[in-house]
Each structure stands twice: as structure tokens, then as C-alpha cells.
Amino acid sequence: MAVEGKAIDALSQFDLAPALGAVGRSVGFTQSNLYMLISGGLIVLLMMWGMRHRAIVPGRMQSLAESAYGFIDDMVLAQIGEEGRRFFPFVFTLFMFILFGNMLGLFPYAFTYTSHISMTFVMAMIVFVLITTVAIMLHGKKFLGYFFPEGAPIWLAPIIIPVEIVSYLSRPISLSIRLFANMVAGHVMLKVFATFVVMLAGLGAVGPFIAVMPLAINVALVGFEVLVAFLQAYVFAILTCIYLHDAVHLH
Amino acid sequence: MVDSRDSLKNRLKAARDRQGLDKPQAGQGGGPTSPWGFGLRAGVEVFSALVVGVGLGFALDRWLGTWPWLFLLFFVLGAAAGVLNVYRLFNPRSGARKN
């Protein structure tokens, strides 16, 4: 539990443990994987079950599914342009998977798989490999011109090119660190203030009254975390779109 | 019915475009609006560029046995790339979004 020997243990919530009993243990199936499966299932359920009527006037689930679709569709069109349509499935999957992971992680006892750098980094590497492949496939050798902005004086090339390459390589890292750090920071804060509630409540007669303060902070924090959960999924998706725009158009 | 609705929408959009009523929204997104968001994002950009620079420098040094010279060089390059990332945060690449 949170309070073990009067110490604040805010990081054990990120420990991986085998899920699904002996089968999970033998194949290394953790609760992180379990929540990935759950969120994948929920997304499929939302889209399939929500769209089962295909009504002109949508019901609740249908309008949820439609607004999620429309949100990403607008984003892809605005950022990449008309030729970005073919990247819609990719961006949509990425956005929904991160959004559901962040939101599911806010439930009590749930595990946030986006709070692991290995997970977010792999997603960012997928984006990185995709944008590089797209740029090379569409532009071939001209892709190398991306690292040297036209119009710059040629004698600056030895400085500009390495800096541009490092800047390009830093994309997957900043993408993954942003999501991971936001999720970890939020969950640590929640855990710390929740531990304060328990500790203060044990302080005799006045304890429960003081404990209301961290409890109030936690209530506000949960609301803030819902915002962060959405915002980080949005930022990840829109940065993917911006990178794809750069890959499709180069300059 | 759907056709006529869509064609009205298209004609309306074409007319609005001619008049310049719809501002192109591209390039607005991705930028955080609050000062905190800006600060955090700038920090992440600098940090990740430094990580890449230091990592590349270490790897090349181990490979070529030139410790610490490439490490120092790539540390500076990483710092410059970090500044460049932050600069791009405010001014996206020139001409990138003129459509």
C-alpha cells in the first residue's frame, strides 16, 4: 500500500508485475500489456459498437466515435494537407491508443502503460522511422537537402548540417520524454498527496480535519490529470502530423 | 441529398476562400499556449537534443577511441540543436506551411 513504515512510496505504482496468472508469468505478460489489450479492445468497441446504427442523427456513442474521427481528420488535413489523408489511420490509431492509455491509467488500481519510457520511446521510434521512410520514398536524394536550408551561406555547412542532424535525431526523444514525463509526474503527485491524506488522518483528533486539505488538492489534481491525459495524446498526435508534413513537403 | 449538401458546402468554401474569409489554420497547432506549457516544452526540446548529442559523442568516442574530443564536440552540437529546436518552436521552418 501507499504508506509502508511511514514512508512515501510513490514509484512502486510503476512496477511491472506478471498478469493473468501462470500463463502470463511464463510468457512475460505484464499488467502493462494487459492494459494495452484492454484499451485496444475498448477503442475497437467504441468504433464498432458506436457506429453500428450509422444514423444520420447520431446517438451518444456514435457522436463520440464521430467526433474522435472528425477531430483527427481535421488535424491531419490542416497539418499535412490533402495528401495527408493516407496517414489518417496511423495518426488516429496512435492518438486513440495514447488517449485511452492515459485515461485508463487514472482509474484506481489501473496501470498507465504510457508512464514507461520504453513504451513511449517505441511509439516515437515508429513515428520516426515512418517519417524518415516517407521522406526518402517521396523525395529520394533530395531528402538530404532537408539538413541544409537553402539560402544559407555554404561555408556554414560544416556547422549547420551536424546541428540539423542532431536536431532531427532528437525528435523521437523529445516526443517520448514529453509523454512519459507528464504521465509519471502526474501519477507521482497524485500518489504523494494521497499518502498525505492517509498520514495526516492518523494524527489523532485533529488529523481528519487537516487531511481534508491534501484531499482537496487531490480532487483538483485528478481533474488536471484528465486535461493532461487528453492534451498529451493531442500533442503526440499533432507533432506526428507536423513531422509528417515536413516529410511530405520538405521545407 | 448528400450530394447537394456537399456541393453547397464546397461552393460555399470556394467562395469563402476567394474572399479570404477562412484563415488557414495550418501551423497553429502543436504550440502550447500557456507560459508553463511553453517552458516545459522548451525544456524537453533542449534536454532531448542534449541527450542525442551526448549519446552520439559517447558512441563515436567508444568506437573511434578518441575520448573525450568527439564527446565535447557533440555536446556543443547538441546544445546548438537544442537552441535550434526552441527557435523552431516559435518560428516553424520558413515556407513550410504556405499552403
Side-chain angles (χ1 to χ4, degrees):
Chain A
M1 290 316 287
V3 192
E4 214 100 56
K6 292 279 178 207
I8 298 178
D9 179 18
L11 292 178
S12 67
Q13 58 175 324
F14 302 118
D15 285 347
L16 290 173
L20 298 185
V23 182
R25 211 168 300 122
S26 57
V27 295
F29 188 86
T30 62
Q31 85 273 48
S32 177
N33 303 116
L34 181 66
Y35 276 94
M36 288 179 203
L37 282 184
I38 292 175
S39 81
L42 283 177
I43 294 165
V44 172
L45 198 70
L46 170 69
M47 299 318 280
M48 304 288 281
W49 190 68
M51 295 308 290
R52 74 194 185 288
H53 291 317
R54 294 170 198 217
I56 296 259
V57 179
R60 260 174 289 185
M61 290 313 261
Q62 189 182 343
S63 58
L64 191 61
E66 278 180 2
S67 54
Y69 184 100
F71 180 65
I72 299 298
D73 193 47
D74 284 351
M75 180 197 288
V76 167
L77 271 188
Q79 296 296 331
I80 316 179
E82 193 56 51
E83 59 274 64
R85 266 274 156 72
R86 60 185 136 151
F87 300 113
F88 171 80
F90 177 71
V91 179
F92 186 71
T93 312
L94 212 53
F95 174 77
M96 292 304 267
F97 190 57
I98 296 172
L99 180 67
F100 272 64
N102 293 352
M103 290 291 187
L104 276 179
L106 286 175
F107 285 97
Y109 297 105
F111 184 83
T112 326
Y113 54 77
T114 43
S115 66
H116 276 210
I117 185 88
S118 55
M119 161 69 195
T120 59
F121 187 66
V122 167
M123 285 196 298
M125 275 317 281
I126 294 173
V127 172
F128 182 73
V129 170
L130 177 80
I131 58 171
T132 312
T133 318
V134 166
I136 291 177
M137 274 175 67
L138 286 182
H139 301 280
K141 240 184 264 166
K142 264 197 290 172
F143 167 65
L144 295 177
Y146 185 76
F147 297 111
F148 190 70
E150 52 212 288
I154 195 76
W155 56 270
L156 273 177
I159 304 171
I160 290 179
I161 291 174
V163 168
E164 287 280 359
I165 290 176
V166 171
S167 164
Y168 188 73
L169 291 179
S170 77
R171 280 173 170 187
I173 302 203
S174 67
L175 205 54
S176 54
I177 285 180
R178 190 176 302 117
L179 176 59
F180 144 82
N182 270 288
M183 296 329 285
V184 168
H187 283 260
V188 166
M189 290 235 284
L190 282 177
K191 190 69 138 201
V192 166
F193 281 104
T195 314
F196 284 167
V197 175
V198 179
M199 283 175 156
L200 286 173
L203 277 183
V206 286
F209 298 102
I210 313 176
V212 168
M213 286 189 288
L215 185 65
I217 292 177
N218 239 357
V219 171
L221 267 183
V222 169
F224 182 67
E225 282 307 310
V226 172
L227 174 76
V228 168
F230 173 76
L231 207 62
Q232 288 308 314
Y234 170 73
V235 165
F236 201 101
I238 202 157
L239 283 174
T240 305
C241 287
I242 291 175
Y243 295 160
L244 278 170
H245 175 277
D246 283 356
V248 172
H249 299 278
L250 284 191
H251 301 284
Chain B
M1 175 196 143
V2 174
D3 275 350
S4 67
R5 198 173 57 196
D6 281 357
S7 85
L8 173 66
K9 203 191 267 175
N10 288 340
R11 275 182 290 147
L12 196 61
K13 178 155 180 6
R16 288 182 73 92
D17 281 349
R18 265 201 308 281
Q19 300 295 326
L21 285 174
D22 289 327
K23 285 205 191 80
Q25 289 183 324
Q28 311 264 312
T33 43
S34 69
W36 263 99
F38 257 127
L40 283 177
R41 227 192 117 181
V44 169
E45 295 286 357
V46 172
F47 177 75
S48 54
L50 274 177
V51 166
V52 171
V54 168
L56 266 182
F58 253 122
L60 286 176
D61 267 338
R62 284 194 65 146
W63 180 41
L64 300 169
T66 48
W67 171 259
W69 300 109
L70 286 178
F71 168 74
L72 294 175
L73 175 69
F74 273 88
F75 183 83
V76 174
L77 286 180
V83 174
L84 182 70
N85 282 348
V86 174
Y87 174 76
R88 291 260 163 78
L89 201 60
F90 293 96
N91 316 334
R93 286 183 90 102
S94 56
R97 306 169 206 292
K98 52 181 171 269
N99 49 337

